[in-house]
Amino acid sequence: MNLGVRWTLHGDGRTPAPGAVVRPDERLSWPRTAGLGAQHVVAMFGASFVAPVLMGLDPNLAIMMSGVATMIFLLATRGRVPSYLGCSLSFVGVAATIRAGGGDSATVTGAVFVVGVALFLSGLAVQRFGARIIHAAMPPIVTGAVVMLIGFNLAPVTATTYWPQDQWTALLVMLFTGLAVVCLRGFFSRIAIFLGLLFGYLLSWVLDRVFGKINSPMGGGEAVDHWRLDLSGVAKADWVGLPSFHAPAFEWSAILVALPVVIALIAENAGHVKAVGEMTGDSLDDKLGTAIAADGAASMLSTAVGGPPNTTYSENIGVMAATRVYSTAAYWAAAVFALLFGLCPKFGAIVAAIPGGVLGGITVILYGMIGLLGAQIWINAKVDLRNPLNLVPAAAGIVIGVGGVELKITDDFELGGIALGTIVVITGYHVLRAFAPAHMKTEEPLLDSGTSSYDSASGTAPAAPGAADGQDGRDGRDGSAGKREPGGRD
């Protein structure tokens, strides 16, 4: 059985010829492949290490399970879809909501485990019935609205938890990160969040040395004197050791908050598979269902042991676009590096020590970008918001999701925020569509016979939401990841 773990040496194994690409079933020399794998790990650093910290989960376990998830994905897709699976930022709002309601880490991972099950079953359904079922249930107006309310629902977390811990550091980190995203080019633009973290670390250390402790609230609590950067946990951490594991716990209220994120994950995977297919020149439509199911299975395994869920990363698509090396061998190397990082508690302690003010500056941009990816879905799909059929359910659902509107069902059960907003968007759209006049239902479907429609002028795929991961399926600089590379096969 072909598992996609055998590669043909490309040329002399050193430098590809001008215009040539290294295909998924090819590789360069092993030292160069290992170097590319390390580059992929660095590319996913920013989001994969920030996400578990924001979710209150062990960053060591997160990075280790991202390596395991990547291996599962590569095996499931038989090495045809080069991809790295890192921690998804789409769940940060879910985790914050669950914890605000009294849930702990076990409750968070239990809710997200159920999302992994839903994603796995969705992948099997797409594999069996085709991608058109995605559009039938979740047209672009619905997908965009849900992604938007998930992102903007996070705004109070920044405003009340992170920013007040050190407002001036937060402001400077926000400015630096924004400049890095806009002004840097190539690889450095794709690790702008990571660079913002490094800047914030250094800035906090300098401010501690110059001004001493700061008096501010810690995590939304009372104001106390504290160091901006507390590295006491790093000194105590071992160099080698296992991360902390825990079993998930299941509560219906938490599960209902988390389930809407499956919509964002399906869109992320669809955009990723289509973008990679365009880069390599191979049609990967037949692997869409497999990719979605593999993502779900990997997330189930990660959350079953206390880790965060995983999703495909466009930062790594950007690395492939820049290097023209699509070899899955490089991703296997990246997965091995991730496993090794996960076994270093001292490394996790450094990540866990990220100052609150630094997170405040980064999340202002990060959460807003997640929300605005929903608008990008509308733009790419040419959604007409002048149509009341689109406008009404999206408007109502977004306000409910962002504003935290609640609907009390019983004394012990209520719906609100992300869960209620998503229900309103989905059911509202389909119910209104059933009664709407014919002229309101003439929009072209986004998912028709394949996985998505294309802009014939640019040849780019519709954006997929996600993440800090910047999951738009393209390189943020010039869109090159959404275009067929020279030398690719038809």
Side-chain angles (χ1 to χ4, degrees), residues 70 78 104 204 229 255-256 258 275 292 303 313 323 339 342 345 350 375 385 398 402 464:
T70 299
R78 302 293 191 267
D104 56 11
S204 297
L229 178 61
I255 291 170
L256 289 175
I292 294 174
T303 53
Y313 263 36
T323 62
L339 284 173
I350 293 174
L385 291 178
I398 290 172
V402 174

Side-chain angles (χ1 to χ4, degrees), residues 243-323:
S244 58
F245 300 96
H246 69 259
F250 302 97
E251 296 182 10
W252 274 111
S253 57
I255 291 170
L256 289 175
V257 169
L259 273 176
V261 182
V262 74
I263 297 174
L265 297 181
I266 291 173
E268 285 178 2
N269 278 275
H272 179 95
V273 170
K274 183 59 73 173
V276 172
E278 283 295 300
M279 286 193 300
T280 61
D282 288 335
S283 174
L284 297 176
D285 289 357
D286 62 315
K287 287 296 181 183
L288 176 60
T290 302
I292 294 174
D295 191 350
S299 292
M300 289 164 59
L301 177 60
S302 178
T303 53
V305 297
N310 295 284
T311 190
T312 52
Y313 263 36
S314 69
E315 285 92 336
N316 299 94
I317 296 180
V319 172
M320 290 191 294
T323 62

Side-chain angles (χ1 to χ4, degrees), residues 170-316:
L171 180 63
L172 292 173
V173 170
M174 179 192 72
L175 294 173
F176 177 89
T177 305
L179 287 171
V181 171
V182 173
C183 299
L184 296 180
R185 294 292 184 268
F187 174 72
F188 289 104
S189 70
R190 287 183 286 274
I191 61 169
I193 299 297
F194 180 63
L195 295 177
L197 284 176
L198 294 180
F199 172 79
Y201 251 89
L202 179 61
L203 176 63
S204 297
W205 182 83
V206 170
L207 292 177
D208 281 342
R209 302 288 78 75
V210 175
F211 299 106
K213 291 183 177 181
I214 185 174
N215 183 272
S216 66
M218 293 284 289
E222 296 293 328
V224 296
D225 290 333
H226 63 92
W227 295 109
R228 297 169 181 83
L229 178 61
D230 183 4
L231 297 176
S232 59
V234 178
K236 299 175 183 177
D238 296 327
W239 281 103
V240 179
L242 290 173
S244 58
F245 300 96
H246 69 259
F250 302 97
E251 296 182 10
W252 274 111
S253 57
I255 291 170
L256 289 175
V257 169
L259 273 176
V261 182
V262 74
I263 297 174
L265 297 181
I266 291 173
E268 285 178 2
N269 278 275
H272 179 95
V273 170
K274 183 59 73 173
V276 172
E278 283 295 300
M279 286 193 300
T280 61
D282 288 335
S283 174
L284 297 176
D285 289 357
D286 62 315
K287 287 296 181 183
L288 176 60
T290 302
I292 294 174
D295 191 350
S299 292
M300 289 164 59
L301 177 60
S302 178
T303 53
V305 297
N310 295 284
T311 190
T312 52
Y313 263 36
S314 69
E315 285 92 336
N316 299 94

